[in-house]
Amino acid sequence: MRKLVVIAVAIFLVALVVACSGAPKQSSPQQGGTTAKSEAKIQLKAATMTPMEHMYSQGAKRFADLIKERTNGRIQISVYPDGQLGKGERELLEALQQGIIDIYVGSTGPIGGFSPSMLLVDIPFLFRDYQHVDKVLDGPIGKQLLDDLEKANLKGLAFWENGFRNLTNSKRPVKTPEDAKGLKIRTMENPVHLTAWKTLGVNPVPMPWAEVYGALQQRVVDGQENPVPVILNSKLYEVQKYLTMTQHVYSPAPIIMSLKKWQTLSKEDQDLFIKTAQEVAPWQRNLGRQNEQKMLSELEAKGMQIERNVDKSLWQKAMQPAFEEFAKQFGKDKIESIMNVK
Ligand code: EAX
């Protein structure tokens, strides 16, 4: 009997020694155990107004893939194309300000209503060509335009591209501004565009993007203006017969984040977002630039009649009076600071 007691005491003492030796416990989160601090997953929503195959959504997808890869899946961005989260870009930007959506890729069209300095880039014939565009938007002027967005609770990450805008209509072939007189043309909700088209003698009808296809189909408006990739990917060839390569405005497409959401990211993640957005920019811009001729052939095959030989100086002259108004509004020096970038 005595022997049994001795053995029981010995076992108890050994167990006591082991328990106090700090041998690893099975920790559980609520006890804040010894496991490394778990890195919480971040889920973000990115929204565009164009189909998945369009360069806004393609750029957003590439950005999302790179961020997921570079954070080992910790940050996941879902892309919602085609206006799934809002009927137009103005509505998406409002949702971005409120933190309802996290990332926007779209034109600068309505941005002037949130950050007035952005109206500058929508001035007709401001940009000479793509090289000029890249020099301005990837330089100090572009950076200032993105920084200005913070006053509107928006965080501009980089300038991506919509492209040079062209006129389409369902009524008649258009080569000169004279041919366009009297047409009802849908424009973006942007005062610079409205002024420019009014000056030309066109009846501009501002409208959110989601309503445009239906308005063209029911002949509520005769035409609209957008870059070739939008015309093709949004199937405007189904409701527009004539395309005139006016290239009257270069339309940037910044990738923008909700400032609220941006401020929840670590400095390291913020730097990664900026670096990745800037890295995607040339790739995304080239989706339109390198495929425009191919897309034009596709539009012709779909039945569009394309006027390629447009005398742009006639269109620029016809919009000149608007230019004077913009110079008063923005300051001639501001406009010249962009036009003079070599
Ligand atoms: O999806 O509203 C417009 O015309 C803009 O170019 C928009 O980005 C097209």
Side-chain angles (χ1 to χ4, degrees):
M1 178 57 175
R2 209 171 123 76
K3 211 169 166 197
L4 274 179
V5 170
V6 168
I7 292 167
V9 168
I11 291 169
F12 172 70
L13 287 174
V14 166
L16 199 62
V17 164
V18 167
C20 297
S21 69
K25 288 191 259 329
Q26 183 59 37
S27 68
S28 62
Q30 62 271 25
Q31 290 165 359
T34 54
T35 51
K37 181 173 158 304
S38 69
E39 292 201 314
K41 270 200 192 316
I42 299 175
Q43 306 272 357
L44 300 173
K45 287 189 283 196
T48 76
M49 288 307 299
T50 52
M52 198 61 225
E53 57 273 13
H54 180 254
M55 54 201 279
Y56 292 167
S57 310
Q58 286 298 305
K61 184 177 176 319
R62 186 176 182 87
F63 179 77
D65 292 346
L66 287 169
I67 292 293
K68 182 177 176 189
E69 181 191 307
R70 294 171 178 178
T71 60
N72 299 318
R74 179 171 54 85
I75 301 183
Q76 315 228 345
I77 301 169
S78 308
V79 179
Y80 294 85
D82 236 354
Q84 290 174 20
L85 298 185
K87 69 173 185 164
E89 291 178 332
R90 180 167 48 78
E91 287 78 6
L92 291 185
L93 290 159
E94 284 161 359
L96 205 60
Q97 280 184 317
Q98 293 149 35
I100 297 166
I101 62 171
D102 307 303
I103 297 170
Y104 162 98
V105 179
S107 81
T108 49
I111 297 183
F114 299 82
S115 180
S117 63
M118 196 64 91
L119 283 168
L120 204 52
V121 296
D122 275 84
I123 291 179
F125 300 107
L126 184 71
F127 292 99
R128 291 186 299 277
D129 51 34
Y130 288 127
Q131 289 66 35
H132 182 212
V133 165
D134 296 348
K135 282 229 178 72
V136 171
L137 297 183
D138 295 340
I141 293 174
K143 183 176 180 327
Q144 187 56 57
L145 292 172
L146 293 176
D147 289 349
D148 289 349
L149 292 171
E150 293 203 22
K151 291 178 219 129
N153 271 332
L154 300 170
K155 175 65 188 172
L157 302 183
F159 273 109
W160 291 358
E161 181 158 294
N162 189 7
F164 280 98
R165 304 178 77 92
N166 304 293
L167 176 66
T168 67
N169 86 87
S170 57
K171 288 201 111 159
R172 54 180 181 262
V174 168
K175 189 175 172 71
T176 68
E178 202 53 37
D179 301 334
K181 271 195 185 346
L183 287 175
K184 271 205 293 186
I185 299 294
R186 175 270 175 178
T187 70
M188 295 192 288
E189 296 160 298
N190 176 304
V192 168
H193 284 242
L194 278 169
T195 306
W197 286 102
K198 247 184 229 148
T199 308
L200 213 63
V202 148
N203 302 322
V205 181
M207 188 186 294
W209 181 246
E211 296 170 13
V212 173
Y213 185 95
L216 292 168
Q217 193 175 38
Q218 288 135 39
R219 300 286 187 270
V220 168
V221 288
D222 303 316
Q224 63 86 50
E225 42 84 55
N226 248 292
V228 168
V230 168
I231 298 167
L232 180 68
N233 294 139
S234 297
K235 299 187 169 40
L236 297 191
Y237 50 83
E238 293 173 345
V239 289
Q240 297 281 266
K241 173 76 182 160
Y242 306 102
L243 166 56
T244 308
M245 296 300 285
T246 47
Q247 300 190 314
H248 52 278
V249 162
Y250 172 79
S251 190
I255 172 171
I256 303 173
M257 204 167 165
S258 149
L259 187 63
K260 277 188 196 140
K261 188 62 81 167
W262 169 261
Q263 289 166 340
T264 65
L265 297 177
S266 67
K267 177 75 175 69
E268 190 189 359
D269 286 342
Q270 289 179 345
D271 293 346
L272 175 66
F273 271 50
I274 294 276
K275 174 175 167 291
T276 306
Q278 289 175 348
E279 183 188 313
V280 168
W283 177 85
Q284 189 271 348
R285 293 173 188 168
N286 280 333
L287 290 178
R289 297 178 184 183
Q290 290 176 352
N291 296 295
E292 182 164 276
Q293 291 313 313
K294 184 163 116 345
M295 290 184 193
L296 284 172
S297 306
E298 284 180 55
L299 287 172
E300 259 165 347
K302 301 276 186 187
M304 285 198 92
Q305 190 175 307
I306 302 176
E307 179 55 70
R308 286 181 168 82
N309 305 316
V310 174
D311 179 348
K312 293 198 193 78
S313 65
L314 288 181
W315 291 81
Q316 184 164 8
K317 211 159 125 261
M319 290 185 176
Q320 192 53 37
F323 229 85
E324 267 114 50
E325 198 173 312
F326 303 141
K328 266 191 240 123
Q329 186 178 351
F330 298 106
K332 214 165 158 68
D333 55 324
K334 265 267 183 345
I335 295 175
E336 283 171 356
S337 70
I338 291 181
M339 296 185 90
N340 296 338
V341 167
K342 291 293 171 242

